[in-house]
Amino acid sequence: MELLEVHTDYLGRANREKTKITEDNYPKLWILTPTASSKILENIGAKTDGDNWGEGVYLLAQFLRTGLVVIHQLPETLDTLKCFVFVIFFA
């Protein structure tokens, strides 16, 4: 539901500013989860995109415009440290 509200706001702003909307700049929903089993990922149709995203990042069907970040699968680097801290404090 939140993504629909974001889309509505985005379309309204584009109309007010008279800007063109393209697939590339349309907003996406990103879901952060501490864990996800391979069975769950398979059942929701999550696919990896190794060319554009690293380990632990999955994309759902293109028309859903949704990505899934499985935090325990992320590589342990300084770039992903914030995600690990998020899990420790909010899980």
Side-chain angles (χ1 to χ4, degrees):
M1 196 58 135
E2 182 72 26
L3 185 59
L4 292 176
E5 291 178 25
V6 170
H7 285 186
T8 302
D9 180 54
Y10 183 73
L11 292 172
R13 189 173 344 132
N15 285 335
R16 283 190 305 276
E17 296 173 2
K18 308 261 192 283
T19 58
K20 186 173 177 149
I21 298 171
T22 65
E23 284 288 317
D24 294 333
N25 62 7
Y26 210 72
K28 284 189 178 190
L29 172 67
W30 286 97
I31 300 170
L32 303 177
T33 181
T35 64
S37 69
S38 58
K39 185 75 167 171
I40 289 173
L41 295 171
E42 180 182 326
N43 286 338
I44 63 172
K47 306 282 186 218
T48 59
D49 183 4
D51 294 337
N52 297 310
W53 302 98
E55 272 183 76
V57 179
Y58 297 85
L59 301 175
L60 302 185
Q62 186 172 357
F63 74 94
L64 293 174
R65 304 206 49 83
T66 302
L68 182 69
V69 179
V70 182
I71 294 171
H72 86 275
Q73 293 181 5
L74 294 173
E76 294 182 16
T77 67
L78 288 175
D79 293 332
T80 61
L81 182 60
K82 289 179 186 176
C83 292
F84 290 105
V85 171
F86 174 82
V87 169
I88 291 169
F89 286 110
F90 298 105

